[in-house]
Amino acid sequence: MRKLKMGMIGGGKNAFIGAIHRIAANMDGLVELHCGAFSSNPEISKESGKGLFLPEAKCYDSYEKMIAIESQLPQDQKMDFVTIVTPNFTHFAPAMMALNHGFHVLIDKPMTLSLDEAKQLQQKVKETGLILCLTHTYSGYPMVKQARKMVADNDFGKIRKVIVEYTQGWLSSLLESKENKQALWRTDPAKSGISGCMGDIGTHAAHLAEYISGLKIAQLCADINIVVEGRKLDDDGNVLLKFDNGANGILVATQIATGEENGLKIKIYGEKGGLEWHQMEPNSLIIKWSDAPTQIYRTGNGYLSNISMANSRTPSGHPEGYLEAFANLYKNFALTLSFKLEGKEPTQEMLDFPSVDDGVRGMAFIENVIASGKSDQKWFDFKI
């Protein structure tokens, strides 16, 4: 066992998500930052790397140069995997190049700019046997994993209804007109793709619904809106869902809910009971029964499942939040990769992170939702 060496693409000066990735990667001591192409601007990339105490030779002018040079180094001197923390439109090319040069990949969501690109990455992963992890962060929370386990154990009986919502208010005004960096690229079709809100946070809601319920979206009916005048991509939407077991659901994603922060919430109901989880109060899981009082499960307690406890780090009563959930993705990915490098078979607990297949479903969700939103047809089959 040794620390894995990470190469980072993007995440330089003033890029908030790069710092979050580095904290998450470092939290369990399994990964170290080895090199980076931190910006498309070579000067900023070099300056960013210097600020992270990397040797000058490991601060590359471009991701192309980094991948090409690192691939030629001896095994003990080159990076083990690449993490890609750039806007959507610069995901596919570096991910494909990394896979073609034998490097494993960790990448932000949505995975690509289009479903076709996502399928190409999926095929390349299958051909190479390499690992791709997608950062659907919310699946990393201990109580989300507890909820998933209870559903899988049939504690609630057959699932009948899923209600998931992700409400934000930060785009309630035309923030992109004020040169806000995050708003500029997320509302630009050339950089974000065919969807804004649904691509940015709707995919999180859809993934969480499928992850906890164990079901797959089979059909949907979408109402997609551009509320703020002058905006080019959707900033609000409501989607009716039908799952592959016959359950129905509702998905709400909006970035114009004035005053909201990151209000991701999910409720799932079965024949015998249900559950409720709120991202802004992540250490609690509310359990509801038809014939018993409501219960509140709390992170870090011994009555929780092994999978929940394996993704907790502190005793009960010590809050674990977004950074720890993010770190759980890195931890499970790193353990899986370490076992793979040693010729060992990773455990199911290690393999519990979003994969390239989740990335394909995410892009399919975006394309199906937008197609439905533009059509007068009531129900669309979920096509991949």
Side-chain angles (χ1 to χ4, degrees), residues 167-170 172 256-262 280:
T167 53
Q168 295 178 338
W170 74 290
S172 292
I256 52 86
T258 306
E260 291 285 353
E261 295 176 343
N262 274 282
M280 290 177 63

Side-chain angles (χ1 to χ4, degrees), residues 137-197:
T137 313
Y138 306 108
S139 64
Y141 280 105
M143 300 316 288
V144 166
K145 296 188 181 299
Q146 176 68 24
R148 174 182 167 90
K149 182 66 165 57
M150 294 179 75
V151 172
D153 287 347
N154 203 36
D155 288 2
F156 307 112
K158 181 182 177 180
I159 298 304
R160 293 171 165 173
K161 193 170 192 70
V162 179
I163 303 171
V164 60
E165 64 177 67
Y166 199 153
T167 53
Q168 295 178 338
W170 74 290
L171 287 178
S172 292
S173 63
L174 199 66
L175 200 59
E176 55 267 41
S177 67
K178 300 176 183 178
E179 299 301 309
N180 179 284
K181 184 179 178 181
Q182 292 297 320
L184 276 170
W185 79 260
R186 292 177 192 272
T187 60
D188 182 352
K191 295 181 178 180
S192 193
I194 62 172
S195 176
C197 176

Side-chain angles (χ1 to χ4, degrees), residues 284-357:
S284 296
L285 176 65
I286 302 170
I287 305 297
K288 302 176 182 181
W289 306 107
S290 61
D291 57 356
T294 295
Q295 298 174 319
I296 299 178
Y297 285 27
R298 294 280 294 166
T299 300
N301 283 286
Y303 52 74
L304 300 175
S305 64
N306 290 338
I307 189 68
S308 177
M309 295 299 288
N311 287 276
S312 298
R313 294 173 179 79
T314 60
S316 58
H318 295 81
E320 295 188 63
Y322 181 76
L323 292 174
E324 288 84 356
F326 220 117
N328 284 334
L329 302 189
Y330 267 95
K331 179 183 71 173
N332 293 340
F333 168 77
L335 288 172
T336 296
L337 178 49
S338 292
F339 267 52
K340 185 179 180 72
L341 293 174
E342 293 178 20
K344 299 178 182 178
E345 191 68 28
T347 66
Q348 287 302 307
E349 287 80 9
M350 294 174 187
L351 291 167
D352 184 21
F353 57 84
S355 70
V356 67
D357 296 334

Side-chain angles (χ1 to χ4, degrees), residues 102-295:
F103 293 113
H104 307 271
V105 173
L106 190 145
I107 190 170
D108 269 337
K109 46 59 55 193
M111 188 165 71
T112 54
L113 203 61
S114 69
L115 177 57
D116 179 66
E117 288 181 347
K119 288 180 177 180
Q120 290 183 56
L121 287 184
Q122 184 183 47
Q123 182 60 36
K124 182 59 64 174
V125 167
K126 290 179 180 178
E127 290 173 2
T128 60
L130 296 167
I131 305 168
L132 187 147
C133 173
L134 186 69
T135 57
H136 274 302
T137 313
Y138 306 108
S139 64
Y141 280 105
M143 300 316 288
V144 166
K145 296 188 181 299
Q146 176 68 24
R148 174 182 167 90
K149 182 66 165 57
M150 294 179 75
V151 172
D153 287 347
N154 203 36
D155 288 2
F156 307 112
K158 181 182 177 180
I159 298 304
R160 293 171 165 173
K161 193 170 192 70
V162 179
I163 303 171
V164 60
E165 64 177 67
Y166 199 153
T167 53
Q168 295 178 338
W170 74 290
L171 287 178
S172 292
S173 63
L174 199 66
L175 200 59
E176 55 267 41
S177 67
K178 300 176 183 178
E179 299 301 309
N180 179 284
K181 184 179 178 181
Q182 292 297 320
L184 276 170
W185 79 260
R186 292 177 192 272
T187 60
D188 182 352
K191 295 181 178 180
S192 193
I194 62 172
S195 176
C197 176
M198 281 294 164
D200 191 17
I201 62 175
T203 50
H204 274 310
H207 179 263
L208 191 67
E210 291 193 339
Y211 180 77
I212 296 179
S213 71
L215 306 175
K216 300 296 184 186
I217 298 169
Q219 290 183 301
L220 54 80
C221 175
D223 169 36
I224 303 300
N225 308 300
I226 298 177
V227 175
V228 175
E229 187 175 351
R231 183 158 288 151
K232 298 177 181 178
L233 292 174
D234 58 286
D235 51 19
D236 173 79
N238 311 288
V239 188
L240 298 177
L241 305 172
K242 290 184 179 179
F243 292 89
D244 56 359
N245 78 330
N248 66 77
I250 303 168
L251 185 152
V252 175
T254 180
Q255 293 175 313
I256 52 86
T258 306
E260 291 285 353
E261 295 176 343
N262 274 282
L264 176 60
K265 307 171 185 176
I266 188 165
K267 300 178 182 180
I268 296 179
Y269 300 98
E271 297 168 314
K272 298 184 289 185
L275 63 86
E276 182 174 344
W277 180 80
H278 296 226
Q279 194 274 150
M280 290 177 63
E281 190 65 42
N283 301 135
S284 296
L285 176 65
I286 302 170
I287 305 297
K288 302 176 182 181
W289 306 107
S290 61
D291 57 356
T294 295
Q295 298 174 319

